[in-house]
Amino acid sequence: MKWLDLPGPARFINQITDHLREGQSTVVATPLLVLQNFEQVISDKLNQDRWRVHRGNAESVLDPLTWLTDQLYIEPKSWINWSTEGLFECLSPGQVIVIKGITPKTWGAWRSFIKDFDIVSRRCSSDERPVLLIFVRGVSIRHLQIDGAALSLEVWSGVLSELDTLTYIDQFIRRSKKATPHHKLIVRQIAALSLWDLEFAEFLADQPTSDLFDVNVIVRRGQEALRVRDCAITGEWEDGGADKVDENELIHSFVLIDSQDPTNELNRRVWAAQAAELLPAIEIRRRASLDSLRRYITCPFWLDGQRKVTSLEELEIGTLAFAAHHHKVPKELRDKVQLLADCRNSLAHLKALNATTALDRRLYE
């Protein structure tokens, strides 16, 4: 599955194309760390949808007007008094000029140019305007504020939901590996650690399954492997180290590991993933074990000499394990019920399971 087909990104791209269709130049702001080939993927999508696109990489450009004039092969009759208005008049109706490579160092110059372009654009009807699609990376949200009648801003924040990440990881694993009984648990754990960082999610999905349970080690391994991205991730949105997932403000795992994870957040995320997947599974296994247990435990009976049990269905898994130990229940069945009880007890006390326990087939069948 491609990331642009996920619901969150697809909705984001649709918002961009809606703005362009309405004749609004659009600034798309992202952190330094964003999805692979982000600008290229969106630009290609415009081409596929038959927009007339001209692309340019404006890295280090501090004079947008002169640079764009050269990029578009426009030859002014005179450079004296050459202006944004003169450039605008040389453009074709409906033309989309896609510009990437704008950074905090060049944003000031581009912001001034974009404001001028907006003012000029207002003189033209929306269905005849040429428009700019400007990609800006690494500019803090507080410095991004820009608006106009013919101008929109789209910020890549809170776009990927937990469901988006879960879906992406699920499909990524299914393409390369045979499904296992614990497939959904692994998908959840990877999503809990990778959050919006799909490249980190792919790295985790390619690791030996048991390694995913040694949280600090696997996160550091991923951090080292992905240093090639040449992006120093801090706890700020513009660096890719903080974002919203389903309206919750979260910090990237690499930032937590660099700070020694003082609140044990990484293990808490793994616990939450395990609890979401395994607590319902344990209840399903408890109910499934009742028919087998009825062969050896006859109701009614007294539990610990104090409580009369008239039906095994009324017993939670811990009490059921206690009852199994005090009746002639075969060891294999008794051990399975005890495993379920131990797992339930650990998760109820906010303790994540280790690899041996969490991957035990008896939890899933």
Side-chain angles (χ1 to χ4, degrees):
M1 168 175 268
K2 298 179 180 179
W3 63 257
L4 79 163
D5 295 325
L6 295 168
R11 184 165 53 250
F12 186 83
I13 293 173
N14 285 339
Q15 289 170 343
I16 294 171
T17 55
D18 285 346
H19 294 321
L20 299 179
R21 193 173 292 110
E22 292 165 2
Q24 293 186 322
S25 292
T26 304
V27 175
V28 178
T30 70
L32 289 174
L33 175 65
V34 74
L35 299 176
Q36 288 181 317
N37 303 316
F38 183 82
E39 296 90 348
Q40 184 70 38
V41 167
I42 295 179
S43 182
D44 288 346
K45 181 71 166 57
L46 293 176
N47 277 332
Q48 292 169 11
D49 293 344
R50 299 187 178 181
W51 292 80
R52 289 184 293 121
V53 176
H54 178 93
R55 311 183 199 192
N57 188 341
E59 188 174 352
S60 302
V61 171
L62 290 172
D63 183 359
L65 177 59
T66 301
W67 179 80
L68 265 176
T69 302
D70 290 339
Q71 284 287 307
L72 297 170
Y73 304 105
I74 297 172
E75 297 183 1
K77 293 180 180 179
S78 171
W79 282 101
I80 300 174
N81 297 325
W82 179 244
S83 65
T84 303
E85 182 176 4
L87 172 69
F88 185 90
E89 290 174 352
C90 294
L91 302 178
S92 304
Q95 183 177 4
V96 181
I97 304 169
V98 178
I99 304 165
K100 69 175 185 176
I102 300 171
T103 67
K105 291 181 179 180
T106 59
W107 170 237
W110 278 97
R111 182 177 181 178
S112 296
F113 173 78
I114 292 165
K115 286 182 176 180
D116 291 342
F117 196 90
D118 168 57
I119 292 171
V120 174
S121 296
R122 300 179 198 179
R123 304 172 190 171
C124 183
S125 61
S126 60
D127 58 345
E128 294 183 354
R129 292 175 191 155
V131 290
L132 305 175
L133 178 57
I134 307 288
F135 289 101
V136 182
R137 284 200 186 198
V139 176
S140 66
I141 292 177
R142 66 180 178 276
H143 291 140
L144 280 170
Q145 301 309 315
I146 186 170
D147 56 27
L151 179 62
S152 293
L153 171 66
E154 290 294 337
V155 179
W156 183 269
S157 178
V159 176
L160 281 167
S161 68
E162 181 185 31
L163 181 58
D164 287 325
T165 304
L166 288 169
T167 302
Y168 186 85
I169 298 165
D170 172 73
Q171 294 302 304
F172 181 85
I173 293 176
R174 289 181 185 277
R175 285 199 305 269
S176 58
K177 299 179 182 179
K178 183 179 180 180
T180 61
H182 48 262
H183 172 80
K184 291 196 292 182
L185 173 66
I186 298 307
V187 168
R188 283 190 182 274
Q189 286 199 196
I190 292 174
L193 293 175
S194 60
L195 301 175
W196 58 84
D197 189 346
L198 298 186
E199 194 171 356
F200 182 35
E202 291 181 7
F203 167 83
L204 292 173
D206 284 334
Q207 302 307 299
T209 300
S210 59
D211 289 3
L212 298 176
F213 293 81
D214 195 343
V215 179
N216 290 347
V217 170
I218 199 65
V219 171
R220 288 196 181 280
R221 190 189 301 171
Q223 185 181 44
E224 186 62 33
L226 296 176
R227 286 192 191 280
V228 292
R229 296 190 293 192
D230 195 27
C231 179
I233 302 176
T234 71
E236 302 297 330
W237 170 84
E238 57 266 29
D239 294 324
D243 205 347
K244 291 181 179 180
V245 178
D246 298 327
E247 298 305 317
N248 296 313
E249 296 276 1
L250 296 172
I251 301 296
H252 197 291
S253 294
F254 295 171
V255 177
L256 292 175
I257 208 73
D258 281 342
S259 64
Q260 308 301 317
D261 195 10
T263 62
N264 204 29
E265 174 65 16
L266 291 174
N267 281 296
R268 186 155 45 245
R269 289 177 185 176
V270 170
W271 165 82
Q274 291 182 355
E277 185 61 36
L278 293 180
L279 288 178
I282 289 170
E283 175 58 18
I284 292 171
R285 300 283 82 75
R286 182 193 73 85
R287 291 177 178 272
S289 68
L290 294 179
D291 286 342
S292 297
L293 289 170
R294 288 191 185 98
R295 302 174 188 173
Y296 308 101
I297 305 176
T298 303
C299 292
F301 68 92
W302 287 92
L303 185 64
D304 201 21
Q306 298 178 353
R307 175 183 171 190
K308 185 177 182 180
V309 177
T310 59
S311 172
L312 294 182
E313 292 183 358
E314 67 188 65
L315 300 181
E316 64 177 20
I317 189 63
T319 310
L320 200 61
F322 179 83
H325 278 285
H326 288 78
H327 290 76
K328 294 181 179 180
V329 175
K331 185 178 185 305
E332 182 179 355
L333 178 56
R334 187 173 69 242
D335 288 349
K336 178 177 181 177
V337 176
Q338 186 61 56
L339 170 70
L340 297 176
D342 291 343
C343 291
R344 173 69 175 80
N345 186 58
S346 292
L347 294 172
H349 289 85
L350 311 184
K351 296 179 181 178
L353 306 181
N354 60 32
T356 301
T357 303
L359 301 179
D360 194 309
R361 295 183 68 89
R362 291 172 295 178
L363 282 173
Y364 310 95
E365 58 185 29

